[in-house]
């Protein structure tokens, strides 16, 4: 169970034989030079895979945005109660190259991206890199705090519900399912009504201080904790019945020692593997949370940009998120290896 | 009914300064949370939409203003006089006003502003349209600017009163567009100090302010030190922030929040009808099925909206029978044309050949179902309004209409209007003049702009109506203008092109610690120079 979850798609890609690369002979495989080559090949494959993900994300976003209804030029100038003149539209089309055939626009965009130039936002009229640079901090802070809080809740719940008997198990698993099923917008509204309007404990919208972070972080963390808790509790239960727990107990290890030193390490493996996915979950959640709690950030930038058909900005944000996802996948893979010695041994065999 | 009256009265009372009991105190910060969205550029010459006008009203000022009855009153200009042929207007200016960068306000500045608005590089859409008949501005002397027109324009001074045509420092306009968008320089009671994107714009008091508009409660500098202008898109969060005292003033209140605020000691509501067109359904008369007048009349006779308006809006809006907003002069109501009569609707549809019904109860003709596509802009229609459209769908179904509601984001909605891919829709048009009728119903505006946008969504093409609207737009005789607008609205009403619903209300919620808040009549936007916090 843990084994399969630990080996995510990226790892499978590393192991898959690639026709374009020479297959080392068994003799070479044993030499240290071949081991170096294997590592280099692994790194190259990862970089190649990452680049492919980025290219695919940029391409899908570009065509996706241009195929849905809506004229970017009109959207740049439009809005309720205003109406674009012929001159203004012609000017905008020429300025932004929107009068070119779509393939020319796509190639031009790709060319710019290849040189690291994210272009200029249609709607904000400033460089996309600058916009993202100004907004990314808020989202990363929100996502990181939510991930930590979700982990804490999930671990606590997993430990408590596996040791508290049948009722605790039932309560724990119900809480996890409910939390995982709750949509962000609903949870946000309920949290505002309870903790801001009724109890006045926390502000409803962002503030300069940390108190404004409480409700947005909880909104993001609770559903995630539900997901993490579900997989962790299952693998904690698996571990509790595993022979190594029996031998630890036989060595005279205390119950807490067994749980924190052995069982949780085992139980956290699927959680670690899920954290890469969790990053995507948190970023999509940030779109809702930043809008409802009026927080500056990439999620809100993305929503506005999609509504305005601001292609460069949407592509830029999507690329940054995709890059984050690639990095998180590599990081969780490494973290899985640290937590699970079996994966380290397989790494050597590779 | 009593509750309804009370709320509406509270709304009316709000049009004048909210409270006059205590003595104003200078100082303090006011936090304003807007739901209209964050402008992409703070200079309202660029593009030109409601978020820009809202913020711009605190920083920039116009040549003219309007009083509560919509009559033109002086502001940065002292008077406007047309030539005998109506082809030029001499606008005389105040000689004691300076922009906040120290540049004097004079005729050269007016000329520079008009040129900036008309320059294609500015990418103006609202201002350039309002200046459509202005060919040139001549500087007669430092305090006289002569507007030379290509044809007479009775709405010129009204156009110039809008914030989208506000006066900015010519020195500021020579900066790059990026710089001018970040912090336009005007003559207003506040100046832009900083703009943190997606968070807030901070405004600080203009210490040398001397150009209060007519009707202001006091002359001279504003009371507030500072305004923090926040962007809170979610209406429930915005109201929660107001209730918790995190913000002092909010706009775009939902009807249920208006009721809650009215019954709260800490909160109050200021309401005003946005000028221009009322919120209304436009029936697309250019295409089937609404190209048949009988089908349009059957729709209007079966779309029973009054119960929905009463229940969904909790008595916070009043049914309108006019295409024009109550805050716009020359509006006419023909209530009898909008009576609900199911029998009449059925007869009309029978006459129009929609005689058979399919298994679902919808009328058919030659195997075609009587389908009416209704694209809804979720940016413009609040949830209560969308529910009202569902009720229209239900009541028109009884006589056999199949109304298909399509909630769309702004860009998709524009695209479906541009393609004439709708039977009925609801669009907002804010303009402080009855000339909005010409924009919405002159046959020239069926022709799409290169963008595909055509303001005449009803596809009204009646030469007699065009003539009346042109005449009303050119005459300087007030009686003639009134008669032409009344006749024009009667034609629209007789032909069943439009179903008026209610005024587009500006609903401002504020904490009662805020005093002196009012709406500037021109566009019914909050005016904060008279406001102070206790």
């Amino acid at each position: 169970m843990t084994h399969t979850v630990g080996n995510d798609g990226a790892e499978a890609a590393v192991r898959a034989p690639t026709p374009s690369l020479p297959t080392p002979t068994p003799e070479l495989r044993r030499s240290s030079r071949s081991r170096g080559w294997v590592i280099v090949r692994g790194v190259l494959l990862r970089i190649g895979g990452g680049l492919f993900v980025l290219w695919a994300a940029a391409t899908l976003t570009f065509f996706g945005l241009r195929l849905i209804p809506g004229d970017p030029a009109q959207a740049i100038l439009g809005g309720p109660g205003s109406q674009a003149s012929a001159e203004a539209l012609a000017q905008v089309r020429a300025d932004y190259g929107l009068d070119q055939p779509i393939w020319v626009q796509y190639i031009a965009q790709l060319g710019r991206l290849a040189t690291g130039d994210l272009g200029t936002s249609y709607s904000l009229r400033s460089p996309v890199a600058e916009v993202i640079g100004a907004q990314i901090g808020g989202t990363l802070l929100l996502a990181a705090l939510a991930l930590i809080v979700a982990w804490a809740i999930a671990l606590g719940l997993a430990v408590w519900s596996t040791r508290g008997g049948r009722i605790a198990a039932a309560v724990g698993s119900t809480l996890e399912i409910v939390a995982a099923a709750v949509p962000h917008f609903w949870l946000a509204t309920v949290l505002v009504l309870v903790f801001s309007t009724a109890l006045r404990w926390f502000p409803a919208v962002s503030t300069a201080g940390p108190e404004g972070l409480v409700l947005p972080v909880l909104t993001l963390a609770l559903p995630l904790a539900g997901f993490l808790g579900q997989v962790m509790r299952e693998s904690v239960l698996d571990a509790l019945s595993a022979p190594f727990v029996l031998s630890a107990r036989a060595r005279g290890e205390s119950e807490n020692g067994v749980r924190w030193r052995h069982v949780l390490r085992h139980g956290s493996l699927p959680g670690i593997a899920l954290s890469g996915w969790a990053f995507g979950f948190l970023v999509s959640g940030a779109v809702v949370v930043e809008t409802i709690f009026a927080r500056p950030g990439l999620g809100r930038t993305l929503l506005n940009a999609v509504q305005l058909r601001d292609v460069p900005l949407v592509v830029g944000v999507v690329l940054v998120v995709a890059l984050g996802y690639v990095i998180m996948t590599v990081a969780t893979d490494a973290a899985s290896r640290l937590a699970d010695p079996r994966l380290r041994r397989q790494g050597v065999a590779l | 009914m009593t509750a309804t009256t009370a709320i509406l009265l509270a709304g009316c009372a709000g049009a004048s300064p909210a409270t006059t009991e205590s003595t104003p105190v200078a100082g303090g910060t006011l936090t304003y949370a807007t739901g209209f969205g964050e402008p992409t550029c703070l200079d309202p010459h660029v593009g030109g939409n409601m978020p820009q006008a809202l913020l711009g009203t605190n920083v920039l000022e116009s040549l003219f203003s309007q009083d509560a009855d919509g009559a033109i009153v002086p502001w940065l200009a002292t008077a406007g006089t047309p030539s005998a042929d109506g082809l030029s207007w001499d606008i005389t200016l105040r000689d004691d006003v300076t922009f906040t960068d120290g540049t004097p306000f004079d005729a050269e500045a007016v000329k520079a502003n008009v040129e900036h608005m008309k320059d294609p590089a500015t990418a103006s859409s609202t201002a350039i349209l309002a200046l459509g008949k202005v060919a040139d501005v001549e500087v007669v002397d430092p305090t006289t600017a002569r507007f030379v027109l290509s044809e007479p324009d009775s709405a010129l001074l009204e156009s110039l009163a809008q914030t989208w045509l506000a006066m900015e420092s010519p020195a500021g306009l020579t900066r790059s567009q990026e710089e001018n968008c970040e912090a336009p320089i005007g003559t207003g009671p506040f100046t832009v100090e900083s703009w943190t994107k997606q968070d807030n714009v901070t405004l600080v008091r203009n210490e040398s302010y001397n150009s209060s508009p007519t009707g202001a409660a006091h002359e001279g500098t504003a009371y507030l030190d500072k305004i923090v202008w926040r962007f809170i898109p979610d209406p429930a969060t915005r109201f929660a922030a107001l209730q918790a005292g995190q913000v002092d003033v909010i706009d775009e209140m939902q009807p249920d929040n208006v009721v809650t605020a009215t019954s709260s000691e800490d909160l109050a509501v200021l309401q005003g009808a946005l000028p221009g067109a009322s919120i209304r359904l436009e029936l697309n008369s250019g295409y089937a099925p609404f190209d048949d007048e009988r089908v349009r009349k059957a729709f209007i006779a079966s779309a029973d909206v009054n119960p929905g308006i009463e229940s969904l809006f909790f008595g916070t809006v009043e049914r309108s029978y006019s295409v024009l907003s109550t805050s716009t002069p020359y509006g006419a109501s023909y209530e009898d044309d909008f009576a609900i009569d199911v029998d009449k609707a059925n007869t009309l549809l029978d006459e129009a050949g929609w005689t058979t019904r399919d298994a679902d109860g919808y009328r058919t003709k030659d195997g075609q179902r009587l389908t009416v596509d209704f694209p809804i802009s979720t940016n413009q229609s609040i949830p209560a309004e969308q529910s009202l459209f569902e009720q229209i769908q239900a009541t028109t179904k009884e006589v056999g209409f199949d109304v298909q509601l399509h909630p769309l984001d702004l860009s998709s909605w524009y695209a479906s209007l541009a393609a004439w891919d709708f039977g009925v829709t609801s669009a907002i048009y804010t303009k402080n003049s009855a000339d909005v009728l010409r924009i919405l119903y002159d046959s020239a505006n069926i022709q799409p702009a290169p963008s595909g946008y055509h303001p005449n969504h009803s596809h009204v093409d009646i030469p007699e109506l065009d003539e009346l609207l042109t005449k009303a737009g050119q005459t300087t005789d007030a009686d003639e203008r009134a008669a032409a607008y009344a006749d024009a609205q009667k034609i629209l009403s007789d032909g069943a092109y439009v179903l008026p619903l209610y005024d587009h209300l500006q609903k401002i919620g504020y904490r009662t610690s805020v005093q002196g808040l009012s709406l500037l009549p021109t566009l019914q936007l909050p005016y904060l120079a008279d406001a102070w916090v206790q």
Side-chain angles (χ1 to χ4, degrees), chain A residues 54 118 132 136 279 298 315-325:
Chain A
L54 294 180
L118 293 175
I132 292 176
I136 196 168
F279 179 78
L298 277 192
V315 170
V317 174
V318 166
L319 275 181
V320 167
V321 173
L323 184 67
Y325 187 77

Side-chain angles (χ1 to χ4, degrees), chain B residues 446-499:
Chain B
I446 293 172
Q447 290 307 316
S451 65
Y453 186 81
H454 39 69
N456 187 345
H457 304 311
S458 297
H459 208 289
V460 181
D461 187 0
I462 307 167
E464 191 196 344
L465 178 65
D466 291 353
E467 236 168 76
L468 284 167
L469 293 173
T470 307
K471 190 171 127 195
Q474 292 189 345
T475 181
T476 42
D477 182 314
D479 291 338
E480 233 177 60
R481 204 180 170 195
Y485 279 135
D487 291 347
Q489 289 172 81
K490 186 64 189 149
I491 290 175
L492 288 172
S493 185
D494 283 344
Y497 295 96
V498 189
L499 174 61

Side-chain angles (χ1 to χ4, degrees), chain A residues 119-168:
Chain A
T120 304
S121 157
Y122 290 170
S123 60
L124 302 172
R125 296 174 175 83
S126 46
V128 170
E130 245 172 56
V131 176
I132 292 176
Q135 300 295 337
I136 196 168
T139 305
L140 285 182
L141 178 68
L142 193 64
L145 288 175
L147 194 60
I148 293 167
V149 171
W151 262 92
I153 296 173
L155 276 177
L157 210 58
V159 169
W160 172 77
S161 70
T162 52
R163 104 183 277 181
R166 199 175 290 176
I167 292 172

Side-chain angles (χ1 to χ4, degrees), chain A residues 252-342:
Chain A
E253 188 101 57
S254 70
E255 186 58 28
N256 279 336
V258 167
R259 280 178 188 272
W260 291 106
R261 214 161 296 152
H262 298 279
V263 173
L264 267 188
R265 184 166 178 169
H266 195 95
S268 65
L269 286 175
I272 291 174
L274 268 181
S275 291
W277 163 84
F279 179 78
F281 181 81
L282 288 172
V283 169
S284 67
V287 175
V288 176
V289 168
E290 287 171 1
T291 303
I292 292 184
F293 292 103
R295 292 190 61 78
L298 277 192
R300 208 166 147 197
T301 307
L302 183 63
L303 181 70
N304 290 335
V306 169
Q307 285 184 344
L308 287 173
R309 308 292 187 260
D310 188 338
V311 181
L313 188 52
V314 176
V315 170
V317 174
V318 166
L319 275 181
V320 167
V321 173
L323 184 67
Y325 187 77
V326 168
I327 293 170
M328 277 300 284
T329 311
V330 173
T332 54
D333 205 52
S336 299
R337 277 158 197 271
L338 279 177
D340 187 350
R342 290 168 302 181

Side-chain angles (χ1 to χ4, degrees), chain B residues 209-285:
Chain B
Y209 181 63
N210 67 344
S211 43
S212 305
T214 310
H218 86 294
E219 294 278 327
T221 54
Y223 297 125
L224 296 166
D225 286 339
K226 201 182 202 183
I227 299 170
V228 177
W229 192 273
R230 295 198 58 166
F231 307 104
I232 304 183
D234 185 69
T237 317
R238 205 158 54 240
F239 187 62
L242 179 74
Q243 283 180 303
Q246 246 194 304
V247 302
D248 303 302
V249 183
I250 63 170
D251 56 30
E252 286 281 271
M253 283 180 97
Q254 302 297 306
D256 54 330
N257 294 342
V258 171
V259 174
T260 311
T262 311
S263 60
S264 157
E265 271 181 25
D266 301 331
L267 308 177
V269 181
L270 185 59
Q271 291 200 136
L274 287 172
S278 57
I279 294 201
R280 70 219 177 277
L281 298 191
E282 308 261 33
L283 278 57
N284 176 0
S285 69

Side-chain angles (χ1 to χ4, degrees), chain A residues 73-208:
Chain A
Q74 165 79 355
I76 292 166
L77 296 167
S82 71
Q83 173 190 353
S85 68
E87 293 81 1
L89 276 161
Q91 181 80 35
V92 160
R93 291 218 171 89
D95 284 355
Y96 292 95
L98 295 168
D99 46 358
Q100 308 278 328
I102 188 149
W103 282 102
V104 176
Q105 293 182 43
Y106 170 68
I107 301 284
Q109 170 110 3
L110 218 55
R112 278 195 302 272
L113 291 176
T115 60
D117 176 11
L118 293 175
T120 304
S121 157
Y122 290 170
S123 60
L124 302 172
R125 296 174 175 83
S126 46
V128 170
E130 245 172 56
V131 176
I132 292 176
Q135 300 295 337
I136 196 168
T139 305
L140 285 182
L141 178 68
L142 193 64
L145 288 175
L147 194 60
I148 293 167
V149 171
W151 262 92
I153 296 173
L155 276 177
L157 210 58
V159 169
W160 172 77
S161 70
T162 52
R163 104 183 277 181
R166 199 175 290 176
I167 292 172
V171 170
S173 105
T174 309
L175 279 179
E176 283 157 10
I177 289 169
V178 169
V182 160
H184 286 126
F185 71 89
W186 184 84
L187 184 58
T189 310
V190 169
L191 289 177
V192 165
L193 282 177
V194 174
F195 293 106
S196 183
T197 307
L199 296 172
R200 302 278 166 101
W201 288 359
F202 302 110
V205 292
S206 70
T207 52

